[in-house]
Amino acid sequence: MISTSHLTRQFDKRGIAGLHDLSFELEKGKIMGIMGPNGSGKTTLLKILTGEIKSDGGDYKIGGSVSFFPSPEQVENINVQKFLINSVSLEINEDKKLQLARDLADTFEFTFQLRQNFQELSSGQKQKILLAKELINRPSILLMDEPFSHLDPFTRRDILNGLFTYIRHQAITVLWVTHDLHEAFHYSDVIALMNFGKIEQNGTPENLITSPRNLFVAKFVGYRNFFSVKAKDGRDEVLVVPDLAWEIDPKGTLYQIEKRYPASQGMEYVLSSGEKTLYFQRSARLPLLEPGTQVLLSVIPHLCLTIPL
C-alpha cells in the first residue's frame, strides 16, 4: 500500500516545478500509472517515495519493501546466473537462490541466457535481467520510471506482458511513470494524471475516457474536437466530439477534407470549417473520401460528452 497526504516539494521561488499538495492512496496489489507532461512532477514523486529527495511538507506511507527500476548502477560483466544469485538478499540457501533465478528466467524468457555474460546480451535481454534482479527479493512495492522507453515497441510489449502477468500473480503494488497512453490504459488499474505538480484526475482508465474532469484531461487522453455550448441551465460547457462520433448526413454541416491518414483499423480525416480544424475517423472498408472535396457531417449526440467550464 502507498499513500501520500498533502505532499509538497518546491524547487524554485515561482513554485511551478515540484509537487503541490499531492494526495492519493494506492491499495495493496494495485497498479497505478502516473502520466503527465514533462515537468509535471512524476519523477519527483518517485524520488520522494524512494527517499532520494525530501519533501517540503506533507507525509507519505509505504507498506513493505520497495524496489526501483531502472536502477542507475553499472553491472559487472559476469555470468547472468551468478549475477542474479549475487543479487539475492533473502535469508535462504544457495539452492533456493538458484531456483529463484531460474524461475524468473523462465517467467521473462531468458533461460538460454543464464550461462552467458551480461555484456554479450541484447538491450532487450539486459532489461529483462535487470528487471529480474529487482524482483528476485520479492518486493512488496515496485516503482518504475519510464521503463523500457528506449526499446522497440515489440520488445517493450513482450517485456511488459510478462512483467504485469508476474506482478498480478505476486500481488505486487506498482507505481509506474509512463508516457505511453495505450500501455497505461492496458496495464493500469488506476491512472493519476498530473500537471504542474498536481493530480488533475485520478481514476480508472475507463473513468478518464468516459468522464474527463476538464479540458486538460480530455486533450491528454486523445480527444480533439471541442465546441463551446450552453447547458440547459445556461452555464457554459464544452461539447467533446470523439473522432468516431460523426456521421455523413445530407442535412449536416459542410466541411472541407484537408488530409487523410491510415489509422488503427480505419482512416483518419483532417477537416476544416472556416478557421477551425476537426478530426473524423471511419472504417477503412468504407469508400475513401478524397482530400480537397467537401462532405456533410453531423454529430452523433449519444457518443459525445460535455465538460462544464
Side-chain angles (χ1 to χ4, degrees), residues 228-251:
S228 297
V229 295
K230 288 283 187 181
K232 291 180 179 180
D233 60 5
R235 292 181 301 168
D236 291 327
E237 290 185 328
V238 174
L239 176 69
V240 182
V241 182
D243 295 1
L244 294 169
W246 300 95
E247 61 181 350
I248 295 178
D249 180 3
K251 297 180 181 179

Side-chain angles (χ1 to χ4, degrees), residues 25-290:
E25 288 193 4
L26 181 60
E27 297 177 7
K28 182 181 184 303
K30 295 296 183 179
I31 298 168
M32 174 182 277
I34 302 289
M35 303 198 73
N38 291 333
S40 58
K42 305 181 298 295
T43 298
T44 298
L45 171 61
L46 294 191
K47 287 183 176 181
I48 290 175
L49 295 179
T50 59
E52 184 176 340
I53 62 176
K54 292 185 178 180
S55 65
D56 295 327
D59 193 17
Y60 68 91
K61 296 179 181 179
I62 295 181
S65 58
V66 179
S67 278
F68 182 84
F69 183 84
S71 172
E73 69 177 86
Q74 295 294 319
V75 179
E76 184 182 356
N77 188 28
I78 62 173
N79 173 273
V80 169
Q81 182 170 286
K82 183 178 180 182
F83 169 71
L84 290 176
I85 290 173
N86 290 347
S87 300
V88 179
S89 60
L90 301 172
E91 295 295 329
I92 56 178
N93 61 40
E94 292 300 312
D95 287 341
K96 290 184 178 179
K97 290 181 181 180
L98 175 59
Q99 190 60 53
L100 276 178
R102 289 178 174 174
D103 287 346
L104 284 167
D106 183 58
T107 296
F108 294 108
E109 299 181 348
F110 61 84
T111 301
F112 292 118
Q113 283 75 49
L114 283 172
R115 298 296 181 183
Q116 292 181 262
N117 285 348
F118 189 82
Q119 298 303 334
E120 297 172 357
L121 307 177
S122 69
S123 294
Q125 291 168 340
K126 288 178 181 177
Q127 291 302 302
K128 288 182 179 183
I129 289 148
L130 291 173
L131 183 59
K133 180 243 182 188
E134 296 302 326
L135 296 171
I136 202 163
N137 291 305
R138 298 174 176 172
S140 302
I141 295 168
L142 178 64
L143 306 179
M144 299 189 290
D145 192 357
E146 294 189 68
F148 326 118
S149 59
H150 62 292
L151 299 179
D152 67 86
F154 180 83
T155 302
R156 187 169 68 243
R157 185 166 57 249
D158 175 55
I159 295 176
L160 288 174
N161 282 334
L163 170 61
F164 284 105
T165 298
Y166 178 85
I167 282 169
R168 293 195 182 280
H169 185 263
Q170 298 293 325
I172 298 172
T173 306
V174 176
L175 193 65
W176 70 309
V177 172
T178 176
H179 282 288
D180 192 301
L181 195 63
H182 174 77
E183 290 176 356
F185 280 4
H186 190 80
Y187 297 112
S188 303
D189 295 309
V190 291
I191 294 174
L193 181 52
M194 296 182 62
N195 192 31
F196 294 118
K198 297 181 179 180
I199 294 179
E200 294 282 353
Q201 189 163 344
N202 182 6
T204 65
E206 293 83 0
N207 178 252
L208 266 65
I209 284 289
T210 60
S211 303
R213 182 174 296 168
N214 53 39
L215 271 177
F216 172 81
V217 177
K219 290 178 180 179
F220 196 92
V221 300
Y223 293 115
R224 302 184 285 183
N225 299 314
F226 305 99
F227 298 87
S228 297
V229 295
K230 288 283 187 181
K232 291 180 179 180
D233 60 5
R235 292 181 301 168
D236 291 327
E237 290 185 328
V238 174
L239 176 69
V240 182
V241 182
D243 295 1
L244 294 169
W246 300 95
E247 61 181 350
I248 295 178
D249 180 3
K251 297 180 181 179
T253 302
L254 189 66
Y255 295 98
Q256 172 93 8
I257 300 174
E258 302 294 341
K259 300 176 184 178
R260 74 179 184 213
Y261 305 97
S264 178
Q265 301 183 27
M267 192 66 65
E268 174 184 302
Y269 296 90
V270 182
L271 312 173
S272 65
S273 176
E275 296 182 356
K276 192 173 184 64
T277 299
L278 302 170
Y279 302 88
F280 166 48
Q281 284 192 32
R282 68 180 198 157
S283 171
R285 301 293 296 174
L286 295 173
L288 293 176
L289 304 176
E290 298 297 329

